[in-house]
């Protein structure tokens, strides 16, 4: 009989009930924020099984091994490292971002789909994407978007460059429907010094970079080479195309660069580019503007004198580039 329940027990039960009801009615948002959301957050994500954690160290080791083994197989001094391969992949996945509307960027790995995969600026990058497939198969828990950007980080670090701050968290999209329009990536030549200079600034300013960051990022041309069957251009920027250094800037500043007119004893029929006196190194019109424009040139001169400064600036700018437009989870106010 409920009438026989002691008064103190009844009061305790009623107070507890009132506290629970009052808490629910008076402050549901606070309960949801503090308790882990079970009562008030109906998002499917709450009930989804936790994804396996990515072993970042192991993935980086496997990417490094892939690059090294690929270089050994080639045996011609080239590798997956450079701007023709995984560093370019990371840059071009990220370089479609616009700060104006937040569109583009590496999140979604939309380069896996058309139209982005078939943009002229992305010609040849299928080689890099295909090369990374075994890594994805071995580590299915990592997204393609993280894998493509991480590969660029590993390539820079393994080639003697700086350590790049990196965090996981990019997602993969199921299609390329949200890819931005073509034309956002930098072209090597716009027909004149003035137009090419303005184009480079327009592209990088749209992403949120300044002149110093632009010059630092273009220092990635220390790595890799151009291929006539991809971009139409030919040759490496330096004699050590698998080594990250400030050599690209030194060569730009100190070598005499003239328009390329011949190739292997025959007339050059490719797009306009420049070559050194040996004919073995090249620069693009978009490289030459870095010493033709006074505002760019002062940073080239700084980096020639101080490689550590270049590495520091490059690491910061590259980390910024590969995070553009990525909605990383914000930190909780209570944690």
């Amino acid at each position: 009989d409920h009438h026989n329940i002691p008064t103190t027990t009844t009061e305790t039960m009623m107070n507890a009930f009132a506290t629970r009801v009052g808490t629910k009615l008076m402050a549901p948002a606070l309960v949801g924020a503090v308790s882990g959301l079970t009562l008030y957050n109906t998002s499917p994500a709450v009930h989804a099984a936790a994804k396996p954690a990515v072993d970042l160290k192991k993935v980086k080791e496997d990417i490094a091994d892939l690059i090294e083994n690929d270089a050994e197989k080639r045996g011609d001094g080239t590798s997956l490292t450079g701007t023709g391969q995984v560093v370019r992949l990371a840059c071009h996945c990220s370089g479609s971002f616009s700060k104006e509307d937040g569109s583009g960027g590496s999140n979604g790995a939309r380069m896996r789909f058309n139209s982005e995969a078939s943009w002229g600026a992305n010609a040849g990058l299928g080689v890099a994407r295909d090369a990374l497939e075994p890594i994805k198969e071995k580590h299915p828990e990592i997204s393609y978007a993280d894998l493509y950007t991480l590969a660029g980080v590993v390539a820079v670090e393994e080639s003697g460059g700086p350590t790049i701050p990196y965090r996981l968290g990019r997602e993969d999209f199921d299609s390329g429907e949200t890819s931005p329009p073509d034309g956002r990536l930098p072209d090597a030549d716009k027909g004149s010094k003035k137009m090419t200079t303005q184009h480079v600034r327009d592209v990088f300013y749209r992403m949120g970079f300044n002149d110093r960051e632009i010059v630092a990022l273009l220092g990635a041309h220390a790595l890799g080479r151009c291929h006539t069957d991809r971009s139409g251009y030919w040759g490496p920027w330096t004699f050590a195309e698998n080594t990250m250094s400030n050599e690209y800037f030194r060569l730009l500043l100190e070598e005499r660069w003239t328009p390329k007119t011949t190739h292997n004893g025959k007339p050059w029929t490719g797009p306009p580019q420049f070559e050194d006196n040996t004919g073995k190194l090249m620069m693009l019109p978009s490289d030459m503007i870095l010493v033709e424009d006074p505002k760019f040139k002062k940073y080239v001169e700084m980096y020639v004198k101080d490689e550590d400064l270049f590495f520091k600036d490059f690491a910061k700018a590259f980390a910024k580039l590969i995070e553009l437009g990525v909605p990383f989870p914000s930190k909780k106010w209570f944690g």
Side-chain angles (χ1 to χ4, degrees):
D1 191 326
H2 69 274
H3 294 293
N4 295 326
I5 298 174
T7 303
T8 53
T9 304
T10 304
E11 288 176 349
T12 301
M13 291 169 63
M14 292 299 291
N15 289 339
F17 178 73
T19 300
R20 288 198 301 273
V21 171
T23 302
K24 280 189 178 182
L25 295 177
M26 298 296 290
L30 182 59
V31 174
V34 176
S35 70
L37 321 166
T38 311
L39 292 174
Y40 301 101
N41 190 328
T42 58
S43 167
V46 174
H47 308 288
K51 289 177 63 179
V54 176
D55 187 337
L56 186 61
K57 182 173 182 290
K58 183 58 180 169
V59 177
K60 291 181 75 171
E61 289 173 354
D62 287 342
I63 294 172
D65 288 343
L66 171 72
I67 292 172
E68 183 178 349
N69 293 336
D70 176 81
E72 290 178 359
K73 287 179 184 177
R74 295 184 183 208
D76 60 359
T78 67
S79 76
L80 279 169
T81 297
T83 46
Q85 303 289 339
V86 293
V87 173
R88 179 168 162 248
L89 175 64
C91 290
H92 283 213
C93 281
S94 309
S96 61
F97 177 75
S98 173
K99 66 178 183 179
E100 302 304 324
D101 59 7
S103 62
S106 63
N107 199 48
R110 287 164 285 200
M111 197 192 288
R112 292 173 296 145
F113 310 105
N114 282 324
S115 63
E116 201 163 323
S118 58
W119 290 353
N122 290 334
L125 287 177
V127 174
R129 295 194 300 273
D130 290 347
L132 291 169
E133 275 299 320
I135 307 294
K136 175 63 175 172
E137 291 173 13
K138 186 175 180 180
H139 302 279
E141 64 277 5
I142 192 171
S143 66
Y144 279 105
D146 278 338
L147 179 60
Y148 292 170
T149 50
L150 181 61
V153 168
V154 173
V156 169
E157 294 177 351
E158 290 296 312
S159 63
T163 299
I164 311 291
Y166 188 83
R167 54 178 169 165
L168 298 161
R170 297 160 188 79
E171 299 176 317
D172 288 338
F173 296 164
D174 294 329
S175 74
E177 290 179 8
T178 58
S179 285
D182 192 3
R184 287 192 176 183
L185 297 172
D187 290 331
D189 187 9
K190 283 297 185 182
S192 71
K193 292 178 185 179
K194 182 178 180 180
M195 292 179 66
T196 301
T197 302
Q198 189 60 52
H199 167 70
V200 169
R201 282 201 168 98
D202 288 345
V203 166
F204 284 93
Y205 285 3
R206 187 203 69 234
M207 289 186 261
F209 291 107
N210 58 34
D211 284 356
R212 182 169 183 155
E213 292 169 317
I214 292 171
V215 177
L217 285 170
L218 289 178
H221 284 172
L223 300 170
R225 61 168 55 221
C226 287
H227 303 263
T228 53
D229 60 343
R230 297 172 194 174
S231 64
Y233 297 96
W234 176 88
W237 287 268
T238 76
F239 285 115
E241 61 185 272
N242 298 319
T243 301
M244 186 73 169
S245 71
N246 64 347
E247 183 69 356
Y248 164 76
F249 297 116
R250 187 193 68 79
L251 290 167
L252 255 179
L253 202 59
E254 298 179 5
E255 288 295 317
R256 182 171 177 268
W257 299 95
T258 56
K260 184 177 180 65
T261 58
T262 61
H263 185 66
N264 293 332
K266 298 178 180 179
W268 171 246
T269 57
Q273 66 176 76
F274 297 83
E275 64 182 7
D276 70 338
N277 58 8
T278 70
K280 296 178 180 178
L281 298 180
M282 71 96 201
M283 290 288 171
L284 303 169
S286 55
D287 295 310
M288 297 304 299
I289 66 168
L290 298 187
V291 288
E292 293 164 347
D293 181 274
K295 293 180 181 178
F296 283 147
K297 187 177 181 181
K298 68 179 181 180
Y299 297 117
V300 173
E301 293 171 336
M302 285 170 53
Y303 295 150
V304 169
K305 294 176 182 176
D306 192 341
E307 186 177 70
D308 289 341
L309 179 62
F310 162 52
F311 278 7
K312 179 183 177 182
D313 286 358
F314 179 84
K316 186 176 180 181
F318 194 75
K320 175 180 173 178
L321 172 66
I322 60 177
E323 291 197 352
L324 292 174
V326 181
F328 290 107
S330 58
K331 291 183 178 181
K332 301 286 190 263
W333 64 268
F334 53 83

